[in-house]
Amino acid sequence: MLFRALILRTSGLRWVRRAVTRSRLFRPMVSRFIAGETVAEAVSVAEGLAAQGFGVSLDLLGENVATLEEANRGLEHYLALVEAIGASPHVASINISIKLTALGLDQGDEVAEANYRKLLTAAARHDLFVRADMEASEYTERTIAMVERVFPDHPNTGTVLQSYLLRTDQDLDRLLELGCRVRLVKGAYLEPESVAYQDKSKVDSQYIDQSKRLVCEANYPAIATHDAAIITTVRGFAETKSLEKGRFEWQMLYGIRRDLQAELHHAGYPVRVYVPFGQEWYPYFTRRLAERPANLLFIAKSLFKG
Ligand SMILES: Cc1cc2nc3c(=O)[nH]c(=O)nc-3n(C[C@H](O)[C@H](O)[C@H](O)COP(=O)(O)OP(=O)(O)OC[C@H]3O[C@@H](n4cnc5c(N)ncnc54)[C@H](O)[C@@H]3O)c2cc1C
């Protein structure tokens, strides 16, 4: 937790961001986590995964736009992505994950909601599902409330719950009641103890309890983790309950625990790979670095090698 906090805090400094984005040292690590910068590159990676039998969620990186114009541009970029996926022979295996702050949440609920609805209308023409990722806790209530307003008109959307938040049991009740698709994650942002559990074992036990509720009660939930022990527990639970393998899906990030992705896929479970791409990779990249000290060691080794 200390390491994570240190990385997330340091990465917010402007000079660190400049150094990381300009340095070639980080490139091998960036390309391990990020599937390129263009829509064409991302769709090609998605099609490769789909051909192997994986589902894909494409994430066009970018969040927290600063102006109305940027929010509208964010919508245009997402619409272009939807059309590119719509033209793919693998359209049925691909969906998208979005950030409401890329559609103008910082410019106001009305701005983000209008853009979100336009995107969902366009996506529905290709039968495409759009998931609103969950961002930092200052946005949790507004994201859930927006999904609650929009879902009755646009059932091709759902969102994400983070087990580290103290509020998540109540949010889970709300979303089960709503009936939208829910992805469960541990949570990737730096949050204070007034809103989030700081103890890893508490987050893990919340994650397991909430996963069990989701796989039994929810509409095609996504259990999104690379934690092998948790996967074994939830898988064992689902098998004991004789739940159908297609009742829920596993989700993992591009470039992380490909061995587990393949193992679950070969065992007959739906597995979806979350594939980020685009030029705005820095915030996503630093969240991944913060999750695992070994990722920094990898960079340090490349430094000494050459
Ligand atoms: C599909 C998907 C979508 C997500 N969407 C969101 C979202 O909308 N909002 C949000 O806050 N968070 C999101 N996350 C991130 C999530 O909150 C966690 O930060 C992240 O998944 C790491 O937690 P973990 O469950 O894998 O468990 P951890 O306990 O962090 O990790 C378990 C094991 O997984 C492996 N691992 C985990 N992370 C890495 C890494 N970066 N590099 C290498 N190995 C690693 C290691 O072997 C580690 O021991 C998403 C995660 C996934 C998989």
Side-chain angles (χ1 to χ4, degrees), residues 134 162 183 186-188 200 225-226 288 291-292 295:
M134 192 57 79
Q162 298 153 321
R183 172 200 296 148
K186 289 189 188 177
K200 178 174 162 45
T225 181
H226 318 91
R288 301 293 77 81
E291 275 154 9
R292 201 161 174 250
N295 289 338

Side-chain angles (χ1 to χ4, degrees), residues 96-118:
I96 66 170
S97 292
I98 62 157
K99 300 276 188 293
L100 289 177
T101 63
L103 288 178
L105 200 54
D106 289 331
Q107 286 65 51
D109 280 10
E110 309 71 41
V111 176
E113 187 170 326
N115 282 338
Y116 185 25
R117 285 178 182 272
K118 283 182 198 157

Side-chain angles (χ1 to χ4, degrees), residues 50 56 141 172 268:
V56 176
E141 179 55 36
L172 183 50

Side-chain angles (χ1 to χ4, degrees), residues 4 29 32-33 97 99 132-136 160-162 164 183-189 200 204 207 223-228 230 251-253 255-257 260 272-274 287-292 295:
R4 191 164 154 262
M29 196 54 134
R32 182 186 147 190
F33 291 137
S97 292
K99 300 276 188 293
D133 280 350
M134 192 57 79
E135 303 180 63
V160 179
L161 291 178
Q162 298 153 321
Y164 65 6
R183 172 200 296 148
L184 188 68
V185 301
K186 289 189 188 177
Y189 297 82
K200 178 174 162 45
D204 289 355
Y207 191 95
I223 308 303
T225 181
H226 318 91
D227 189 322
I230 288 185
Q251 292 190 355
M252 291 186 216
L253 302 177
I256 301 183
R257 294 305 307 258
L260 275 181
R272 188 174 298 278
V273 183
Y274 181 104
R287 290 196 288 273
R288 301 293 77 81
L289 280 188
E291 275 154 9
R292 201 161 174 250
N295 289 338

